[in-house]
Amino acid sequence: MERYGDVGDVIVDPNSALIIFESRPHNIRDLVRLNIGGHRPGLKLLKNELDSRFSAESLELGVMLAEDVFCSEFMIKSAVTIHFQERKRQIKITFEYPVNKSIMKYHVEMRFQDMDKGCIQVNQLGSKAEILIQLRFPPMFWRFDSKLEGSNPQKWSANHSLRRAVDILKGGDITGLKMRDSPVESNPTNLNAKLGRWIVFRLVIDHRCIRNVKSLVDGARRCNLFKENSQGIEVRESSRVPRPNMEAFKPLAFEVRYMLESALSFNYIVEYDLTAEVAEIFCALEPLKASMILEHIIWNRQRIWNLKDYLLTQAAKLKTPIKRNVSDQCVYLRKVIVTPTTIHLQPPTLETSNRIIRQYLHVKDYFLRVEFSDEGNSKLWSKDNASNENNAIYNRIFAALTQGIKIGNRTYEFLSFSASQLRDNSAWFYCPESGNPTIESIHNWMGDFSRIKSIPKYAARMGQCFSSTRAIDNLSSEQVRMIDDIEYNGHVFSDGCGRISEDLALMIGTELEKESMPSAFQIRLGGSKGVLALYPTLPKKMVQIRPSMEKFTVKHYVLEVIRTSSYISSYLNRQIIILITHLGVPDEIILDLKNKQMRDLAKLETDDTTAIKVLRQNWDEHGTTEMMVEMINAGFLQNQDPFIKNLLALFKHQQHEELAKKARILVPDGAYLLGVCDETGDLKEGEIFVQVSGSEGSSNRRIIEADCIVVRCPCFHPGDVRVVRAVNCKSLAHLHDVIVFNTKGSRGIPSMCSGGDLDGDGKVIWDERIVKKVKQHEPMDYSGQGALAAKDVTIHDIKKFFVQYAVSNNLGKIARAHLALSDHLKEGPSHYKCLKLAQLHSDAVDFPKTGIPAQITPDLRPKMYPDFMEKPSEMTYPSERILGRIFRECSSGLEPWVPHDYQQSFNKLLVIDGHEDYLADAYECKAGYDREMSSLKNQYGVKSDLEVMSGFITGIDIITNKKDHDIRKAIRGAYGGIRRKWRKELEEEFYAPHSKVIDPQNQPFLERKASAWYAVCYQDLKPGDPYTFPWVAWDILCTIAHRVRTQQLTEEEDPTRASVSGDEDDVSTVIDLAGEEPLENESIRSRQSSAMMDIALGREQGRISTEKRHSNLRILQQYTHSQFITGGLTSRTWRGPQTTPSCTSLTLAVTMQKLTSVEPSSPVKTVNSSDMEASLSAHSPNQSEPRPLRIAVTLRTGFQAGAMSMELDVDDKALHEVLGY
């Protein structure tokens, strides 16, 4: 059939065959007369008005020397065609090229997502026309190979005969599979065509096809790709352009050469820009300054047309650069992305550190993170076993692993990879230059892996050392003990779970700035991994590890924490919704939850009460929503502050988008928690213990007593949803914000939930409407396959396994197939195909440990997809199930988020006296903070500082294989390092001697400094200016706002309420607590304003509500931790170690008793709020009349024995007003 035209697809049925041509066939008259087995073919014209396809006289590849000058590097004139495919959102170009005595046919795919606005221009050339296409990233090149066949014998497609190409071959290795012996380079010299660098395509169209160009122009306009009013292009042959002298750049420091290669790799400059004059400028610049200029080029993502002038201008502008300083737990590291045709070198990026980097910090610049990706922003494709269409790509990966990667004068060699890196096709490389530790010595330091005889497990255990962690404390061997696993009926119920002492848990909580002591920690310790649960009876600093946690042996006792337990709101997702609706939960219940969430989101920006309620329902472990709630309470939303207004809009957008695209529906009666085992053995089979904090903190912890469902993601089998009973168990009351699973029964609950252990988290839902409708299904057997054994594992074996995983990883394909078939098939997830896919997914999850890939067969591949999966329209049907309804209802009105420039009146009340002393320093700090935020924002292609700071990411624009969740996690981790650094910069000068606690006497100065940070950011705020800097100190600014706001209200209500006298440093304030005339000897003298005391003591008209009283007590806590009441003080002591850690969470105990000679009687009423308690004792029997009460205030750091104590007298009536009695 090929003699009649380009055949696109052939589909064979038992009695017929369908042949689809890519374009109108040649000689249609002869085609319809064809006799095939006594039958003449029928002919049907499939008209596609959105596509245009025509021939070109020539195709040239090259670069732009100027905006109107094209340098032609490579020309093809044989069988060139261009096909503008608007439906597929791509441009396809085909051509032929002679190799030896044969003709090679090539196929080029350019995706619209890799193009910028206005990247296509068309110019008239007399009777001809030229089309110029400028790409952001190299396109995908394919070579036609008739020997290749697809996996389905009943269907043939032209695409099945395409083999990926990394070069346009001119002889010798015509297969494209031959390995190269030299390291992989960013600018190799042994290629016939530099497909990674030549990303400008010029096509000349002769007069016979001119009319076809109009349809391409119309399509490009519709897709916003056409450049209007373009001028003619000057074309220069590369042979006539002076070649750059790269030798002149060799004297540059490595960091400058790296950044120069980085700018070249992204095509922001081209080699022809590297003249001798440019080399002289670079050599004259300080290396740090030169690197910063080049980094600015890369992060701006704009082509520099005159590099010489740009360098001179920027060098004159840029002041002496300051070397970056980061928090102890973060580090700047270099990362490169290896694609089939090039290497993209990224500037050093901020990363959370790991064990290896901390150990070898002195040579951190010699470590390199390497990610293997397809062109643009595409993940590497896995392939069928019978296919070798991508072998050229996988051979390139193996070449990098075995030969190394050369950058400048360094050659980086493969080191290892973590489990998450394996999933993302990335690894660690290292350059063992003379004098540096060798790769072998690093491997030896990591641990003893000799007992592991499985290649995948060997690689996985080495990878534990590269997990991103926070180092907490270096324990001794005596502080780490091995205890037995809890086994019952042949099952290990404590799989992955150990114990930790209270002292050590307190230390971790302090280090990680947690408001209260966490109950569990996901950790790495030597060769062990898993979760440690709080065990109060353990002495001092003690950890107990179980055999199920130990993966290899090494004498390394630094306790490293990945995350801690915390309360996180529970959300449904597509996988869970498919399973629970299949198990009996009516659609209406899910839709009701969705509709309520949508109604709340609609009122989020206009109703403070709704905003606070929604934010508290979405409490996050990073504290973003807590900050937003406190800012609203402090009045910033009413003041139209752009930061909180835009944060609310951003939060609303993300919630709305995730509802539409992920069916992420909030379940208020649920939580997302770490899992631990029941050490007491008190829980019975099928029971769990859950005590949740919610958004109100530790004082409002609630023990759940109800039937629940427990589920872990990913979940594909109906038996992954387990119905359990949550009970009250007093012996477990010390554990909160975790799911405690029983350790008795026929099988552990975690092993039934997607085959998990206790080294992870899960969702627990106690919403009665959902739970009572679930009809539990038998769990799946997740025992899995054993790992493939090997005699002695070598690093070469690990390199081969890395490539094998990239080739055969079908995890994503299986998950997508299950989602589509569960929606399409009547039986849903219980259909045999879905059950088979659930088993395959389990096998695919275990692939990194077993080395056995999961193979998805053609019969399990969907033919059509539901609309909520957003596939091309020709492959899509409107889903009638609940996910389709959610998608269509929530997608309506969803627009891209754009930050608003709200009209903002500068809040002068936040600018307090004395801030002027800190203004000069504040300007300098803001400049440094903004630089780091801009760098982090550009590193991930994030639109705004707000997204980086909040973690509400709306989109990224980088080349990466990482999932959205992992990218958000990385951004949050990196921003956490920036925040900690600048918070330390804010506070450090005010610490008490030899501690990290703010000296109470310095609190006013700390507020002045925070006020200065606000002033330099907001005083002259213009549209587009960044304004996240002062909110590093959001809690301090909220404190100032509360005080000022309350003082205003107080003065408006009763101007005579407070009289202030004295100078600024010695203010004595007299306050009538009873609301009557001041009583002799019953006043409180304070260095604080009357407004502060009004907040603390809750001056209200009439009785105050319990909620208000709790709020006032929390505010009292907030103030008293730093501004201590000194008037009327009878005692104030400080005891405890001088090295008390920073007080990020404080516990205030307020005890009230009569000033009598007798002992107080039992308390009659107790108020609990957040982390404080207030108790009122009964009147003494022999007391004839009310006497003033004494309040003893003991301020304790959340995680330290030291305490601050003070006593002050107030009258009885005032106390009653405070507590609302």
Side-chain angles (χ1 to χ4, degrees):
M1 288 291 173
E2 288 187 345
R3 67 176 182 271
Y4 295 102
D6 293 331
V7 177
D9 295 277
V10 177
I11 303 173
V12 181
D13 291 328
N15 300 316
S16 65
L18 175 65
I19 301 172
I20 302 175
F21 289 87
E22 288 277 319
S23 58
R24 182 184 177 89
H26 315 308
N27 200 349
I28 294 178
R29 184 177 300 176
D30 288 348
L31 180 61
V32 297
R33 290 175 180 173
L34 211 63
N35 190 311
I36 304 176
H39 299 279
R40 289 188 175 181
L43 186 66
K44 182 179 180 180
L45 178 62
L46 303 174
K47 191 173 182 180
N48 188 349
E49 296 179 352
L50 295 180
D51 288 6
S52 58
R53 184 178 188 274
F54 49 93
S55 299
E57 184 178 284
S58 64
L59 168 67
E60 294 168 88
L61 282 64
V63 299
M64 299 300 294
L65 301 180
E67 290 184 88
D68 58 354
V69 180
F70 171 72
C71 177
S72 177
E73 300 274 10
F74 197 89
M75 177 178 283
I76 303 109
K77 291 188 174 183
S78 177
V80 180
T81 64
I82 179 171
H83 191 177
F84 188 89
Q85 298 176 307
E86 187 172 343
R87 289 187 185 276
K88 294 184 177 180
R89 302 194 64 77
Q90 68 177 17
I91 296 173
K92 183 170 72 175
I93 295 175
T94 59
F95 61 88
E96 292 179 354
Y97 193 76
V99 177
N100 294 337
K101 295 181 180 180
S102 61
I103 299 294
M104 287 289 180
K105 186 174 182 179
Y106 286 88
H107 170 121
V108 186
E109 288 182 3
M110 307 174 180
R111 299 170 303 172
F112 290 178
Q113 70 187 57
D114 295 333
M115 303 180 186
D116 287 324
K117 177 182 177 182
C119 69
I120 299 176
Q121 60 186 95
V122 176
N123 302 309
Q124 196 74 27
L125 298 176
S127 62
K128 301 179 182 181
E130 69 174 355
I131 302 172
L132 197 75
I133 306 172
Q134 301 184 52
L135 303 178
R136 292 174 59 204
F137 302 112
M140 296 182 183
F141 282 81
W142 304 79
R143 182 170 54 80
F144 183 80
D145 187 344
S146 59
K147 297 177 182 179
L148 290 181
E149 296 181 356
S151 58
N152 188 347
Q154 294 184 314
K155 181 177 179 180
W156 180 91
S157 172
N159 291 334
H160 294 160
S161 297
L162 296 176
R163 184 197 297 275
R164 284 301 294 273
V166 297
D167 192 6
I168 298 177
L169 307 171
K170 61 181 179 180
D173 176 25
I174 64 170
T175 65
L177 304 179
K178 183 178 178 181
M179 292 291 301
R180 304 188 185 278
D181 296 331
S182 57
V184 174
E185 298 183 64
S186 59
N187 187 27
T189 57
N190 56 356
L191 295 177
N192 187 38
K194 296 182 180 180
L195 304 182
R197 294 290 177 91
W198 302 341
I199 59 172
V200 181
F201 290 70
R202 179 176 180 264
L203 297 103
V204 176
I205 314 301
D206 68 18
H207 67 281
R208 291 169 296 182
C209 297
I210 287 291
R211 61 187 180 88
N212 299 100
V213 175
K214 184 181 182 304
S215 62
L216 180 146
V217 170
D218 292 341
R221 279 199 177 104
R222 286 191 295 270
C223 299
N224 206 23
L225 298 175
F226 186 69
K227 182 178 181 180
E228 305 287 352
N229 305 317
S230 62
Q231 303 298 318
I233 297 295
E234 178 187 347
V235 180
R236 297 181 188 175
E237 297 291 334
S238 60
S239 58
R240 299 182 179 179
V241 179
R243 306 300 297 182
N245 179 16
M246 301 305 294
E247 292 294 319
F249 292 87
K250 284 190 174 180
L252 294 177
F254 175 79
E255 56 265 35
V256 181
R257 290 191 65 181
Y258 179 91
M259 295 302 296
L260 190 61
E261 287 285 356
S262 177
L264 286 167
S265 72
F266 287 103
N267 295 287
Y268 300 136
I269 60 176
V270 296
E271 289 182 27
Y272 297 104
D273 297 326
L274 303 183
T275 63
E277 292 175 310
V278 168
E280 289 179 7
I281 295 172
F282 272 120
C283 290
L285 286 172
E286 181 187 349
L288 184 57
K289 195 171 188 177
S291 297
M292 290 188 67
I293 293 172
L294 288 166
E295 183 176 341
H296 190 263
I297 291 174
I298 298 158
W299 290 147
N300 274 353
R301 304 186 178 203
Q302 296 292 327
R303 175 74 162 86
I304 302 299
W305 297 112
N306 190 323
L307 183 57
K308 174 188 170 184
D309 289 351
Y310 181 87
L311 289 174
L312 293 173
T313 302
Q314 293 300 314
K317 283 183 182 179
L318 189 63
K319 298 177 181 178
T320 303
I322 302 172
K323 194 172 181 66
R324 291 178 176 136
N325 293 316
V326 296
S327 66
D328 296 340
Q329 302 294 340
C330 293
V331 63
Y332 276 97
L333 294 169
R334 297 186 178 96
K335 175 182 175 182
V336 303
I337 297 99
V338 179
T339 77
T341 61
T342 190
I343 299 179
H344 298 291
L345 287 74
Q346 291 189 340
T349 53
L350 194 61
E351 308 269 358
T352 303
S353 188
N354 60 52
R355 183 184 303 178
I356 301 300
I357 298 300
R358 285 190 289 268
Q359 175 65 22
Y360 296 97
L361 197 60
H362 61 293
V363 289
K364 65 180 176 64
D365 285 343
Y366 291 85
F367 288 90
L368 184 71
R369 294 193 65 171
V370 179
E371 187 171 314
F372 298 94
S373 173
D374 211 329
E375 307 297 357
N377 193 15
S378 297
K379 189 176 176 68
L380 287 174
W381 296 1
S382 60
K383 67 181 184 64
D384 301 326
N385 272 352
S387 169
N388 60 358
E389 61 183 24
N390 285 332
N391 276 0
I393 297 178
Y394 299 121
N395 282 328
R396 179 168 169 81
I397 296 173
F398 196 56
L401 296 173
T402 55
Q403 305 299 325
I405 296 173
K406 187 174 183 180
I407 302 173
N409 59 352
R410 293 184 186 178
T411 299
Y412 291 86
E413 301 174 21
F414 171 79
L415 181 62
S416 187
F417 52 82
S418 67
S420 61
Q421 283 182 309
L422 181 63
R423 291 193 297 270
D424 298 332
N425 304 127
S426 58
W428 285 97
F429 280 53
Y430 172 73
C431 177
E433 279 196 351
S434 177
N436 287 352
T438 65
I439 288 179
E440 184 180 6
S441 67
I442 295 175
H443 284 163
N444 290 336
W445 181 86
M446 288 163 62
D448 180 11
F449 308 96
S450 59
R451 294 183 301 170
I452 304 172
K453 301 302 180 183
S454 163
I455 296 171
K457 283 189 176 181
Y458 193 107
R461 301 318 173 210
M462 289 180 68
Q464 281 180 216
C465 301
F466 291 91
S467 297
S468 296
T469 56
R470 293 276 299 272
I472 301 298
D473 194 21
N474 192 359
L475 305 176
S476 67
S477 59
E478 290 76 21
Q479 293 171 313
V480 180
R481 299 297 187 192
M482 182 67 70
I483 61 174
D484 292 336
D485 271 304
I486 301 173
E487 298 187 43
Y488 198 82
N489 286 340
H491 292 276
V492 178
F493 285 80
S494 57
D495 189 9
C497 185
R499 301 169 176 174
I500 188 170
S501 66
E502 190 169 25
D503 283 2
L504 203 47
L506 287 170
M507 176 184 288
I508 298 172
T510 302
E511 180 67 25
L512 300 186
E513 301 177 351
K514 297 298 178 180
E515 292 186 358
S516 59
M517 181 178 66
S519 293
F521 310 86
Q522 192 174 19
I523 60 97
R524 300 289 184 265
L525 178 60
S528 301
K529 65 188 288 283
V531 171
L532 297 178
L534 178 64
Y535 200 73
T537 59
L538 285 182
K540 298 183 179 179
K541 294 196 295 183
M542 178 70 71
V543 166
Q544 291 181 338
I545 299 295
R546 289 192 161 97
S548 61
M549 301 173 67
E550 190 176 53
K551 308 303 180 182
F552 64 93
T553 57
V554 61
K555 292 181 179 180
H556 184 266
Y557 298 106
V558 176
L559 179 61
E560 302 167 338
V561 175
I562 296 175
R563 57 170 296 199
T564 71
S565 60
S566 62
Y567 172 83
I568 303 175
S569 303
S570 177
Y571 283 86
L572 302 177
N573 59 26
R574 287 174 174 175
Q575 294 173 5
I576 297 174
I577 291 172
I578 284 175
L579 291 182
I580 63 174
T581 53
H582 174 71
L583 294 172
V585 178
D587 291 357
E588 289 70 24
I589 293 175
I590 309 300
L591 292 172
D592 181 58
L593 288 169
K594 184 269 295 182
N595 292 335
K596 184 178 185 304
Q597 189 173 346
M598 290 291 287
R599 287 193 300 270
D600 286 343
L601 288 175
K603 296 188 292 183
L604 189 72
E605 298 175 85
T606 57
D607 186 328
D608 286 12
T609 302
T610 301
I612 290 172
K613 181 189 76 172
V614 171
L615 291 170
R616 282 180 171 164
Q617 288 175 340
N618 289 273
W619 227 238
D620 66 286
E621 58 185 320
H622 304 293
T624 302
T625 47
E626 178 189 5
M627 173 188 69
M628 294 168 70
V629 166
E630 293 304 320
M631 288 188 67
I632 294 171
N633 281 330
F636 287 100
L637 182 58
Q638 295 90 333
N639 197 46
Q640 299 294 304
D641 185 272
F643 178 72
I644 186 63
K645 291 280 286 184
N646 270 314
L647 266 187
L648 279 172
L650 181 57
F651 172 82
K652 176 181 177 180
H653 172 84
Q654 187 190 51
Q655 291 275 309
H656 193 175
E657 185 176 55
E658 290 183 336
L659 265 171
K661 297 185 179 298
K662 298 180 180 179
R664 193 168 182 265
I665 299 173
L666 176 69
V667 184
D669 290 337
Y672 181 63
L673 308 171
L674 275 176
V676 301
C677 69
D678 172 22
E679 298 280 358
T680 67
D682 291 342
L683 294 177
K684 300 175 184 177
E685 183 173 7
E687 290 183 344
I688 62 172
F689 175 80
V690 177
Q691 180 179 200
V692 292
S693 298
S695 59
E696 296 294 330
S698 59
S699 67
N700 285 330
R701 287 179 187 148
R702 179 163 63 107
I703 295 174
I704 307 302
E705 296 182 78
D707 288 332
C708 306
I709 62 171
V710 175
V711 60
R712 297 180 69 173
C713 291
C715 53
F716 295 95
H717 191 276
D720 289 342
V721 180
R722 309 310 303 163
V723 179
V724 297
R725 179 70 185 174
V727 299
N728 189 350
C729 183
K730 293 183 179 179
S731 60
L732 299 172
H734 61 283
L735 297 173
H736 62 89
D737 298 324
V738 294
I739 308 174
V740 185
F741 292 103
N742 68 79
T743 51
K744 295 177 180 178
S746 59
R747 182 177 171 187
I749 295 171
S751 70
M752 293 186 272
C753 298
S754 306
D757 56 16
L758 292 169
D759 187 13
D761 38 34
K763 298 177 191 287
V764 56
I765 295 171
W766 55 90
D767 188 316
E768 184 181 4
R769 296 174 301 167
I770 293 175
V771 178
K772 71 180 182 180
K773 295 292 185 180
V774 172
K775 298 175 184 177
Q776 190 165 252
H777 193 285
E778 282 297 312
M780 193 173 102
D781 179 10
Y782 285 99
S783 54
Q785 307 175 69
L788 297 175
K791 290 183 178 179
D792 291 308
V793 180
T794 66
I795 295 300
H796 189 74
D797 293 329
I798 293 174
K799 294 173 184 177
K800 289 197 295 184
F801 173 69
F802 183 92
V803 178
Q804 181 196 0
Y805 185 85
V807 170
S808 305
N809 176 30
N810 286 315
L811 195 64
K813 287 182 181 178
I814 294 169
R816 289 188 293 271
H818 186 277
L819 180 61
L821 293 181
S822 293
D823 182 88
H824 181 69
L825 298 172
K826 182 180 179 181
E827 298 88 344
S830 287
H831 192 280
Y832 79 91
K833 288 187 177 181
C834 294
L835 294 176
K836 176 63 176 175
L837 286 166
Q839 181 61 61
L840 284 175
H841 191 274
S842 176
D843 295 340
V845 169
D846 290 339
F847 180 18
K849 299 176 185 176
T850 64
I852 303 173
Q855 298 300 333
I856 180 169
T857 53
D859 63 301
L860 297 178
R861 298 176 188 271
K863 305 296 186 294
M864 298 290 288
Y865 292 86
D867 52 355
F868 59 79
M869 294 185 71
E870 299 185 90
K871 295 288 184 180
S873 57
E874 63 270 17
M875 303 169 62
T876 295
Y877 67 88
S879 170
E880 297 180 0
R881 300 205 180 198
I882 184 171
L883 291 181
R885 292 180 62 183
I886 293 171
F887 169 72
R888 289 186 292 274
E889 291 172 12
C890 295
S891 296
S892 176
L894 186 60
E895 299 290 338
W897 177 78
V898 178
H900 295 285
D901 291 316
Y902 291 101
Q903 292 298 318
Q904 155 71 9
S905 58
F906 175 55
N907 191 348
K908 296 180 181 178
L909 297 176
L910 287 179
V911 182
I912 59 179
D913 290 344
H915 81 282
E916 305 90 351
D917 298 339
Y918 300 94
L919 281 176
D921 179 70
Y923 279 110
E924 190 173 323
C925 289
K926 181 180 184 299
Y929 172 91
D930 286 346
R931 277 196 304 270
E932 292 180 14
M933 286 292 283
S934 178
S935 177
L936 181 59
K937 180 177 67 175
N938 292 322
Q939 172 185 342
Y940 290 96
V942 177
K943 296 176 185 176
S944 71
D945 289 10
L946 282 170
E947 293 176 71
V948 171
M949 185 179 192
S950 66
F952 306 148
I953 312 297
T954 62
I956 60 164
D957 185 17
I958 56 170
I959 305 172
T960 185
N961 293 325
K962 289 182 177 291
K963 295 180 179 179
D964 289 348
H965 170 77
D966 294 328
I967 294 170
R968 284 178 181 156
K969 183 179 177 182
I971 293 172
R972 286 297 312 182
Y975 173 72
I978 293 174
R979 185 192 62 79
R980 286 190 296 273
K981 169 188 171 181
W982 291 103
R983 183 72 187 211
K984 182 179 179 182
E985 174 66 30
L986 175 73
E987 296 179 342
E988 193 170 24
E989 63 180 297
F990 307 118
Y991 288 161
H994 311 295
S995 78
K996 294 182 179 180
V997 178
I998 303 298
D999 188 323
Q1001 295 180 355
N1002 288 335
Q1003 180 68 19
F1005 302 102
L1006 175 63
E1007 290 190 3
R1008 293 170 191 171
K1009 188 172 181 179
S1011 177
W1013 282 25
Y1014 174 84
V1016 299
C1017 188
Y1018 274 76
Q1019 201 152 19
D1020 298 309
L1021 187 64
K1022 299 179 180 63
D1025 286 351
Y1027 47 77
T1028 62
F1029 167 63
W1031 302 110
V1032 168
W1034 65 266
D1035 53 331
I1036 303 173
L1037 293 176
C1038 284
T1039 296
I1040 298 172
H1042 272 302
R1043 185 169 65 236
V1044 171
R1045 199 174 177 208
T1046 306
Q1047 186 173 359
Q1048 287 180 320
L1049 292 173
T1050 301
E1051 292 172 354
E1052 290 173 4
E1053 292 177 3
D1054 186 359
T1056 66
R1057 248 179 109 177
S1059 61
V1060 181
S1061 62
D1063 59 35
E1064 181 180 344
D1065 292 327
D1066 185 18
V1067 177
S1068 178
T1069 303
V1070 180
I1071 304 172
D1072 172 13
L1073 296 175
E1076 300 176 355
E1077 293 296 322
L1079 300 176
E1080 187 178 357
N1081 299 324
E1082 293 180 1
S1083 64
I1084 295 180
R1085 293 188 170 272
S1086 172
R1087 293 183 63 192
Q1088 307 168 120
S1089 68
S1090 62
M1092 173 183 167
M1093 292 306 299
D1094 284 336
I1095 293 174
L1097 299 179
R1099 290 286 306 203
E1100 303 285 340
Q1101 292 185 358
R1103 295 171 64 81
I1104 60 177
S1105 66
T1106 301
E1107 182 179 357
K1108 180 65 175 175
R1109 181 167 64 248
H1110 290 186
S1111 175
N1112 289 351
L1113 286 170
R1114 284 195 298 273
I1115 295 169
L1116 178 62
Q1117 173 198 21
Q1118 184 179 21
Y1119 278 95
T1120 54
H1121 84 270
S1122 53
Q1123 297 191 25
F1124 296 106
I1125 300 170
T1126 56
L1129 192 64
T1130 58
S1131 66
R1132 186 175 78 174
T1133 59
W1134 176 256
R1135 58 182 182 275
Q1138 292 298 309
T1139 57
T1140 302
S1142 177
C1143 261
T1144 58
S1145 177
L1146 304 170
T1147 301
L1148 178 65
V1150 184
T1151 307
M1152 292 140 246
Q1153 67 181 61
K1154 289 288 182 178
L1155 294 179
T1156 62
S1157 59
V1158 299
E1159 292 293 323
S1161 56
S1162 301
V1164 296
K1165 195 161 188 176
T1166 299
V1167 177
N1168 294 311
S1169 177
S1170 187
D1171 291 315
M1172 57 182 68
E1173 296 181 353
S1175 302
L1176 177 64
S1177 299
H1179 289 278
S1180 174
N1182 63 354
Q1183 185 67 39
S1184 59
E1185 60 180 1
R1187 293 276 308 275
L1189 302 178
R1190 170 165 294 174
I1191 299 179
V1193 181
T1194 301
L1195 186 66
R1196 299 182 184 279
T1197 66
F1199 312 119
Q1200 188 72 26
M1204 180 80 74
S1205 299
M1206 60 185 173
E1207 295 179 355
L1208 50 97
D1209 294 344
V1210 297
D1211 75 282
D1212 196 5
K1213 187 175 180 180
L1215 180 66
H1216 282 210
E1217 182 179 353
V1218 173
L1219 297 177
Y1221 294 111

